[in-house]
């Protein structure tokens, strides 16, 4: 088996504080992998700038000049983490035997990457990086994350627990992943659907050394809700169930009111009437909102707009130069 060409894809959004150190660490790692004959000398690191507003792209250009392994891809505007990641994967797949995705803050332990490559040599086409524990998280984040994975499993969405977007995928697995053309991307749910031989590598997640997290609570909740609505109609069925229960309760209450009327025990008042109106009105608004969320996703999907636009591509130009050099030597 020939040594595989590896590309490490790193989505970046306003990461100027961590990028220089990230570039050094990943370059040293890639150099060690080449020295150990685990990957080809043609392997690279691809930083994807997701429309950053700081000096992220300028730093990527500087790192491209300083370090031979580093290449860059600049998107025309901010399209979100998942779209930036798929942009990097699609670009890297054209010239790579396998691709590893990792976030720019390197909270995911890069020391697990050699084990990823070893598993690839053993014939695994997807290798998931899975957190061994969540001790560094707050109690709230740890509890909600556990509840999220349990809920997703309960409604039939098979995720890899405690896995984010730190994974290795072979070129063949990537080609299958790209057949899923939905606009509303939730890669953590899509990758397990691809199939192929897969395994897990456990690691301990580190603290962020600089910069700010790009996933505060609000974004995390929105991301989780997108994942649920992209893969399951369970929320709509839940609204249907709540509506049915409300109907049953109203019938019971109506029967009770009728009996009281017949017995002459009715008491005039508006509190119960107002509460019931608010209750039913709230259920209706919630149901309309959830159904509207699904209709909105359908609206986005049927337009088939591109998920990203590339402004500058320093990766493909590098590959083209390599091919020209090889042609001259041959």
């Amino acid at each position: 088996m020939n040594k595989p060409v590896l590309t490490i894809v790193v989505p970046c959004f306003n990461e100027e504080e961590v990028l220089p150190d990230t570039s050094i660490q990943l370059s040293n790692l890639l150099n060690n992998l080449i020295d150990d004959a685990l990957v080809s000398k043609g392997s690279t690191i691809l930083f994807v700038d997701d429309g950053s507003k700081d000096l992220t792209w300028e730093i990527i250009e500087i790192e491209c000049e300083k370090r031979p392994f580093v290449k860059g891809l600049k998107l025309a505007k901010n399209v979100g983490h998942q779209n930036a990641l798929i942009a990097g994967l699609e670009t890297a797949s054209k010239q790579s035997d396998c691709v590893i995705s990792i976030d720019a803050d390197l909270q995911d332990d890069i020391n697990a990457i050699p084990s990823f490559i070893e598993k690839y040599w053993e014939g695994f086409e997807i290798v998931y990086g899975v957190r061994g524990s969540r001790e560094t998280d707050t109690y709230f984040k740890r509890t909600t994350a556990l509840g999220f994975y349990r809920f997703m499993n309960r409604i039939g969405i098979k995720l890899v627990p405690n896995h984010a977007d730190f994974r290795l995928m072979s070129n063949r697995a990537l080609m299958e992943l790209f057949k899923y053309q939905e606009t509303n991307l939730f890669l953590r749910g899509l990758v397990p659907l691809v199939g192929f031989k897969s395994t897990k590598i456990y690691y301990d997640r580190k603290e962020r050394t600089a910069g700010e997290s790009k996933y505060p609570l609000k974004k995390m909740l929105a991301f989780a809700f997108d994942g649920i609505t992209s893969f399951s109609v369970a929320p709509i069925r839940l609204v249907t169930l709540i509506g049915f229960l409300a109907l049953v309760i109203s019938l019971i209450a109506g029967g009770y009111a009728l009996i009281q009327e017949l017995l002459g025990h009715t008491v005039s008042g508006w509190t119960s009437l107002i509460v019931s109106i608010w209750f039913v009105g709230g259920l209706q608004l919630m149901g309309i909102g959830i159904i509207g969320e699904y209709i909105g996703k359908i609206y986005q999907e049927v337009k088939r707009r591109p998920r990203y636009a590339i402004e500058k591509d320093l990766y493909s130009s590098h590959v083209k130069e390599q091919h020209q050099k090889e042609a001259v030597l041959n």
Side-chain angles (χ1 to χ4, degrees), residues 105-265:
D105 55 23
L106 295 190
Q107 286 186 270
D108 298 316
D109 189 4
I110 64 172
N111 294 316
I113 289 179
S115 298
F116 282 26
I117 304 299
E118 289 171 2
K119 291 298 181 182
Y120 175 80
W121 277 93
E122 292 174 15
F124 291 96
E125 302 210 44
I126 302 176
V127 182
Y128 298 102
V130 178
R131 296 177 62 174
S133 67
R134 303 190 71 101
E135 294 179 359
T136 57
D137 290 345
T138 62
Y139 174 79
F140 174 78
K141 187 173 181 179
R142 186 165 58 248
T143 304
T144 52
L146 181 62
F148 171 71
Y149 285 117
R150 285 180 175 173
F151 176 75
M152 295 291 271
N153 185 66
R154 184 68 61 88
I155 63 177
I157 304 173
K158 304 301 181 184
L159 300 182
V160 178
N162 296 322
H163 163 71
D165 288 302
F166 183 33
R167 69 178 74 88
L168 175 147
M169 297 186 71
S170 70
N171 186 273
R172 185 167 73 140
L174 285 172
M175 292 302 105
E176 291 300 318
L177 175 65
F178 299 153
K179 291 179 182 179
Y180 294 86
Q181 291 293 313
E182 53 251 54
T183 301
N184 301 285
L185 280 177
F186 186 65
L187 292 175
R188 300 180 197 185
L190 285 178
V191 173
L193 294 180
V194 171
F196 295 128
K197 189 177 181 182
S198 63
T199 187
K200 303 173 186 175
I201 294 294
Y202 291 90
Y203 68 95
D204 292 324
R205 187 172 171 84
K206 299 181 291 186
E207 295 287 346
R208 174 181 268 267
T209 57
E212 297 180 355
S213 171
K214 303 305 180 292
Y215 270 95
L217 179 60
K218 182 179 179 180
K219 280 193 174 182
M220 286 177 61
L221 292 174
F223 185 65
F225 188 67
D226 281 342
I228 294 170
T229 53
S230 294
F231 279 82
S232 174
V233 295
I236 292 181
R237 291 175 179 170
L238 179 61
V239 170
T240 303
L241 177 61
I242 292 174
F244 177 75
L245 292 176
L247 175 62
V248 172
I249 292 172
S250 65
L251 290 175
I252 294 173
Y256 174 78
L258 179 60
I259 293 173
Q260 292 294 92
E261 175 71 23
L262 295 174
L263 296 176
H265 296 158

Side-chain angles (χ1 to χ4, degrees), residues 311-329:
E311 183 175 333
K312 294 182 180 180
D313 183 357
L314 304 181
Y315 177 86
S316 298
S317 58
H318 161 74
V319 171
K320 185 177 181 180
E321 290 176 6
Q322 290 293 106
H323 286 172
Q324 289 174 346
K325 290 179 181 178
E326 290 175 2
V328 171
L329 291 174

Side-chain angles (χ1 to χ4, degrees), residues 184 293-303:
N184 301 285
E293 180 73 21
Y294 281 92
I295 293 174
K297 286 188 180 298
I298 295 170
Y299 175 65
Q300 291 176 336
E301 293 290 343
V302 298
K303 287 188 293 186

